Amino acid sequence: MPRIAGEFALIERYLAPLSVPSEGAFGLKNDAAVLDIAAGDRLVATVDSLVAGRHFLPDDPPDSVARKLLRVSLSDLAAMGAEPVSYLLAASWPLDIEEEWIAVFCQGLAADQATFGVTLVGGDTTATPGPMTLTVTAFGRVRGTRVLDRASLHPGDDLYVSGTVGDAFLGLRYLQGGIDGLTKTARERLAERYRCPEPRVALGQALLERGLATAALDVSDGLAADLGHLLTASGVGAVLRLQDIPLSGPAEEGLALLGEPPEVVLSGGDDYELLFAAAPERLAEIADLSRELSLPITRIGEVCVEAGLSLLDAEQNPVALKSTGWTHF
Ligand SMILES: Nc1ncnc2c1ncn2[C@@H]1O[C@H](COP(=O)(O)OP(=O)(O)OP(=O)(O)O)[C@@H](O)[C@H]1O
Ligand SMILES: Cc1ncc(C[n+]2csc(CCOP(=O)(O)O)c2C)c(N)n1
Ligand SMILES: [Mg+2]
Ligand SMILES: [Mg+2]
Ligand SMILES: [Mg+2]
């Protein structure tokens, strides 16, 4: 007895309703989607896959898996300064998946489509004998020719990060049974930050529109590793001040219970915060933007001429990192 009514019944029942706002999706009944793009705009495209057991936990709630899936791609659009528009979904469902799982997964997509103003325009459905693998290709737009990129850092630029760092990493450690004694508030907050990142879409667009950032990216692998990508792209180095790295209360609680030093948050990853550089004279405008968006934006260091990343503690002593971030191989 198949657990699923059938491939096309699945598409029609759960996925086609998500495509309704887009004429070019043809109700998910055509060979491909047709995307409108206004004269003078440019399309920004990004793709990321999430694999069960590798990017999310197999028992994570299906609606939060959907939201994380969409949000990690929206975070890449944010890092480019783009406005999210639409997305494709390629889903490889395990052979024994329950239809109810997919129904709740699609409710998560619907909720985030409303939150971020995006529409499903197409995709692909397969079954797999392996772990669930979900891929979103997201499309965004920018007006004109400029985007935020990774390669325009200048020595003397300030480095900033949005939000707080390390919550998702500590959330994963907690969900894997690795932190005992967290308060209920901290447990909920850290788990939520792991399961459902907040793509900084408004921040990315504002940085681009106001010409504030000289380079930007979103932190997925780990702040230190991702900063390394920025530095390499521009052929410069950076100094980071450990005491300025923004930590949430729950993250401080988690670190204290683990007995681990604060610098572990720099390599944890899954933050999906924006890391960007700006000329020192833009400091006040960045503070204004932070207030406008009700989003902390913290200055954590400076770009320098000497290559490499140097991390300093409160006494200006160098701190060595055991790892800079996540890599798959
Ligand atoms: N298989 C691939 N084919 C083509 N380009 C790829 C492939 N894998 C990665 N890239 C490109 O390499 C660059 C770095 O990819 P990466 O996945 O690290 O970026 P990201 O999506 O910002 O980070 P993350 O995947 O950790 O969220 C991107 O420009 C991406 O498009
Ligand atoms: C169950 C589980 N174990 C480990 C991690 C940590 N992790 C996996 S991939 C990745 C970088 C971003 O992915 P990618 O580079 O593939 O886009 C990170 C930080 C997790 N999220 N879930
Ligand atoms: Mg990627
Ligand atoms: Mg990215
Ligand atoms: Mg990565």
Side-chain angles (χ1 to χ4, degrees), residues 220-221 326 328:
S220 52
D221 293 335
W326 177 275
H328 286 292

Side-chain angles (χ1 to χ4, degrees), residues 183-263:
T183 56
K184 183 165 177 283
T185 320
R187 287 197 301 269
E188 286 173 358
R189 168 89 184 138
L190 297 177
E192 181 65 10
R193 292 275 289 159
Y194 168 70
R195 290 179 170 148
C196 190
E198 284 296 336
R200 303 303 184 185
V201 174
L203 173 60
Q205 285 178 255
L207 290 175
L208 177 63
E209 277 160 20
R210 300 178 193 188
L212 281 173
T214 54
L217 51 59
D218 66 320
V219 177
S220 52
D221 293 335
L223 191 148
D226 289 314
L227 176 56
H229 298 318
L230 278 189
L231 301 179
T232 310
S234 293
V236 292
V239 179
L240 280 191
R241 290 177 301 273
L242 186 54
Q243 81 273 17
D244 291 342
I245 302 295
L247 298 178
S248 69
E252 283 181 340
E253 199 182 313
L255 286 170
L257 288 166
L258 279 172
E260 291 204 13
E263 60 267 24

Side-chain angles (χ1 to χ4, degrees), residues 109-328:
L109 288 181
D112 268 2
Q113 287 199 179
T115 302
F116 295 102
V118 293
T119 306
L120 178 66
V121 291
D124 190 36
T125 298
T126 65
T128 173
M132 184 184 301
T133 302
L134 303 164
T135 300
V136 156
T137 302
F139 302 106
R141 72 174 148 235
V142 287
R143 314 218 178 280
T145 55
R146 282 183 313 123
V147 288
L148 296 178
D149 69 17
R150 290 186 176 187
S152 317
L153 284 180
H154 309 292
D157 282 351
D158 288 323
L159 289 167
Y160 295 87
V161 70
S162 62
T164 55
V165 181
D167 305 66
F169 161 69
L170 291 161
L172 174 61
R173 292 280 290 262
Y174 155 67
L175 289 167
Q176 289 173 325
I179 315 181
D180 287 330
L182 281 171
T183 56
K184 183 165 177 283
T185 320
R187 287 197 301 269
E188 286 173 358
R189 168 89 184 138
L190 297 177
E192 181 65 10
R193 292 275 289 159
Y194 168 70
R195 290 179 170 148
C196 190
E198 284 296 336
R200 303 303 184 185
V201 174
L203 173 60
Q205 285 178 255
L207 290 175
L208 177 63
E209 277 160 20
R210 300 178 193 188
L212 281 173
T214 54
L217 51 59
D218 66 320
V219 177
S220 52
D221 293 335
L223 191 148
D226 289 314
L227 176 56
H229 298 318
L230 278 189
L231 301 179
T232 310
S234 293
V236 292
V239 179
L240 280 191
R241 290 177 301 273
L242 186 54
Q243 81 273 17
D244 291 342
I245 302 295
L247 298 178
S248 69
E252 283 181 340
E253 199 182 313
L255 286 170
L257 288 166
L258 279 172
E260 291 204 13
E263 60 267 24
V264 297
V265 303
L266 297 176
S267 53
D270 280 324
D271 296 297
Y272 300 101
E273 295 293 348
L274 292 188
L275 173 65
F276 65 94
E281 59 270 22
R282 312 303 295 270
L283 182 77
E285 287 168 88
I286 289 164
D288 288 345
L289 180 56
S290 167
R291 272 190 296 276
E292 259 173 61
L293 299 176
S294 302
L295 171 68
I297 301 176
T298 311
R299 189 156 58 120
I300 56 172
E302 289 90 36
V303 179
C304 60
V305 177
E306 308 82 59
L309 173 59
S310 100
L311 179 63
L312 300 179
D313 68 12
E315 285 77 45
Q316 308 294 310
N317 296 316
V319 179
L321 288 174
K322 287 203 189 102
S323 138
T324 59
W326 177 275
T327 53
H328 286 292

